[in-house]
Each structure stands twice: as structure tokens, then as C-alpha cells.
Amino acid sequence: MAPRDLKIPEQRHPEKARRPDNPQPKKPEWIRVKAPGGQGYADTARIMRENNLVTVCEEAGCPNVGECWSQGHATMMIMGEVCTRACTFCNIATGKPPEALDAFEPGRVAHAVEKLGLNHVVITSVDRDDVEDGGADHFAQTIRAIRHRSPDTTIEILTPDFIRCGPEALEVVVEARPDVFNHNLETVPGLYPEVRPGARYFHSLRLLQRVKELDPAMFTKSGIMVGLGEDRQSVIQVMEDMRAADIDFLTIGQYLQPTPKHHRVDRFVHPDEFAAYEKAAYGKGFLMVSATPLTRSSYHAGDDFARLREARNRKLGIA
């Protein structure tokens, strides 16, 4: 049987092929971004290709890829490019991953981080429900490999929910001591069956709460998209739930529909509404909030980490 061609939508998302098309509304002017290009962008792309690395920037079709790559920032995606979940908002290829985890990948990621000279790196992954520990040890090995080659680089991870694993999976990741542990709730609980059918809202919330119980000094982070059909009150409730789980950093961004087969855009949220969400979130005690139409989990992550650390020091009264 011929291998799948992930550039063909029907092969990239076989479970979405029979879904009716959702029209893709025209984006408002506040969402337009420049096409990627320039020397910095080309250099980042070359380092990724030379090290045979996958980035979520490309796989998820992030609108900020041009800006980030031109500055040498990229979010590495480990454990392959095929995800075992089929969230209706996501553009990452779905299905049964064709390969086992690559034991040499942590070393290649560490080499790329060193080559790019990153002060702060974000490591994310596909979901690997086919692997016993969900890839927890692979995350830990990647963190340790980066620490070995770039000891001054701060490390942020954006993990799956490890929903089919025992509690020890999360413990393995936390023991590797990333600087920021991010796991996105993605949307409000009422939309989970439609938007994130393989996940459970309160499991994801509890995962983040457990990180703090295992290591109270570790920064925790989570994000949601708006424009999927939620209302303002449900967004405020998610903020309350996150603060009850002691989450430090909240991101809120506009959902953009990757293809007609993906979840429809309910509406484009105006920048003024994002500003109101940011104000409300700071009022609830988050150390750091990023809420704009183009906010994504890893967008400006390095600058945000520095601000996050400063915010905690202010709260603790440390100069």
C-alpha cells in the first residue's frame, strides 16, 4: 500500500473527508498578516530541514510563522506528524502514526536549539495514544537533551493530556523540570463533544493542577480559542476554573478555520473584546495574559516568559 500523502486534504484528515463543507468567511482587516519571507525565515527553515524536524508552525498553519521564523523562533513538534486524535479545529494530520517514536529525535531537537541560539524554546507534540506512556518519557528525554547542550535556554513544553496513561506519565515529565508546563484547554467545556471529542475538560484542568502539586515552583500555562461558538460567560467561567487550578498564564486567540472540512468560524471576535478578556483575566489573578486575535500558545513565548518571571518576583516582593 502506498504511503499517505499528507499534502492531500483527504489523506491528511481522512475522518473529515465526508463532513459537509463549512464556508470560510472572509477575515477582517485586524487578522491580516504578511506572507513569510526574508533571510531569517530561510535560515530557520534550513535548520529545521537539516535536522529532519517537524514544526507546529507549519503543520498547524499558524498565521504568525513569517514573523516568528524571521526572528529565529520556531515551535518544535516531536513524536511525528500524525496525531491519534481528530479535533475538529486542528490542521495537524490525523490517524494511526506510521512509525514508532524516534530515539534520536531528542538529540536532533537539542542540536537545532543550539544552532538557532535560542534563549527560550517551545516543544510541543502530536497526541500519541498508541504509545503506552503517551510519549511522556520522550518529552523528558528532549528536555534533558536541550539542557545538556544549551544549559541557559529556558524550556517551555506544550503537552498532550496523557488521558490514557497512569499518573506516573505526568510525573516523568515534571521531574525533567521544564520551566513552563503548558497544556491547552482549547475551548469551553460545552463545546468539547463537538470541538475536542477525544479529550475531557476536567481531566485537562486536573492535569495542570497536578503539575503545581508536583512542583509548586513550575509555571503553568493554558489557552483557549474564541470564535468557535462560546459566549462571554463561558469564557469567564474557564478563567475561574483555571485560577482554581492555580494556572499562571492564560492565552486567548481567535480560531481560524484551516479548511472547509474543519469546524466553522462562529464569528470574528473584535480586538476590543479581547482587551476586555485580558482585563478580566488579570482581575482574577493570572500572572500573565495574552489575549489578541493573533495570540497563539507559543507566540512571543520568550518575551512572555521573561515578563512572567518578573510578575512572579513582583508578587513575591523580590526585586
Side-chain angles (χ1 to χ4, degrees):
M1 198 168 90
R4 289 166 64 186
D5 184 345
L6 300 184
K7 292 185 176 66
I8 300 171
E10 292 75 21
Q11 294 191 33
R12 187 175 180 82
H13 303 291
E15 80 297 334
K16 294 182 176 78
R18 290 196 181 90
R19 287 169 59 99
D21 285 2
N22 286 315
Q24 292 175 279
K26 190 180 174 192
K27 293 171 189 163
E29 74 279 355
W30 64 78
I31 289 204
R32 309 282 161 77
V33 292
K34 274 193 212 161
Q39 190 57 48
Y41 178 88
D43 289 346
T44 302
R46 178 179 51 76
I47 289 168
M48 294 302 152
R49 297 296 86 81
E50 283 173 356
N51 289 282
N52 192 26
L53 296 175
V54 180
T55 69
V56 76
C57 323
E58 295 168 290
E59 296 301 316
C62 180
N64 304 315
V65 64
E67 179 186 345
C68 294
W69 280 33
S70 66
Q71 296 167 10
H73 301 159
T75 297
M76 323 263 181
M77 191 169 81
I78 59 175
M79 304 200 286
E81 55 186 329
V82 178
C83 184
T84 53
R85 306 280 174 92
C87 299
T88 59
F89 66 85
C90 185
N91 200 33
I92 289 168
T94 53
K96 186 177 187 319
E99 70 283 297
L101 297 182
D102 178 355
F104 298 103
E105 184 175 54
R108 291 202 310 275
V109 170
H111 178 71
V113 169
E114 184 182 36
K115 202 92 189 271
L116 286 163
L118 299 182
N119 296 320
H120 184 83
V121 63
V122 183
I123 307 294
T124 188
S125 76
V126 291
D127 276 281
R128 290 294 299 255
D129 294 317
D130 59 317
V131 176
E132 192 176 346
D133 71 349
D137 187 59
H138 202 74
F139 259 103
Q141 288 185 43
T142 304
I143 294 164
R144 288 193 291 267
I146 295 167
R147 287 262 185 260
H148 178 68
R149 292 193 76 142
S150 304
D152 296 329
T153 300
T154 49
I155 301 171
E156 179 171 328
I157 57 169
L158 173 54
T159 75
D161 58 13
F162 304 116
I163 200 166
R164 299 183 188 181
C165 312
E168 64 282 353
L170 181 65
E171 291 159 18
V172 163
V173 180
V174 173
E175 277 168 19
R177 302 295 305 276
D179 296 280
V180 181
F181 191 109
N182 184 1
H183 171 66
N184 285 331
L185 296 185
E186 306 291 10
T187 187
V188 303
L191 289 175
Y192 260 57
E194 189 183 337
V195 172
R196 207 174 169 223
R200 299 292 175 268
Y201 176 79
F202 287 104
H203 172 86
S204 286
L205 203 58
R206 177 69 186 129
L207 183 89
L208 287 154
Q209 188 177 37
R210 277 196 69 224
V211 172
K212 279 288 196 201
E213 290 167 3
L214 292 165
D215 186 346
M218 192 171 288
F219 288 111
T220 51
K221 177 176 175 180
S222 190
I224 61 167
M225 298 167 289
V226 289
L228 282 158
E230 72 297 318
D231 60 25
R232 179 179 165 78
Q233 188 48 52
S234 60
V235 173
I236 298 298
Q237 184 59 55
V238 169
M239 291 182 194
E240 298 275 6
D241 293 345
M242 284 188 185
R243 285 307 298 135
D246 203 17
I247 293 166
D248 299 303
F249 187 169
L250 167 66
T251 61
I252 306 178
Q254 170 71 51
Y255 167 62
L256 298 175
Q257 183 182 337
T259 74
K261 298 295 184 186
H262 284 77
H263 193 287
R264 69 184 178 85
V265 173
D266 179 67
R267 69 190 179 103
F268 289 108
V269 177
H270 192 274
D272 290 349
E273 192 172 333
F274 279 101
Y277 282 140
E278 180 180 302
K279 187 176 178 183
Y282 275 123
K284 293 183 186 306
F286 287 96
L287 285 178
M288 181 80 199
V289 182
S290 178
T292 72
L294 287 171
T295 288
R296 297 295 181 267
S297 293
S298 333
Y299 189 41
H300 294 163
D303 295 340
D304 286 346
F305 176 71
R307 290 164 61 198
L308 185 62
R309 204 156 39 182
E310 285 165 15
R312 174 186 277 175
N313 288 347
R314 280 197 305 275
K315 188 176 178 183
L316 297 173
I318 301 168

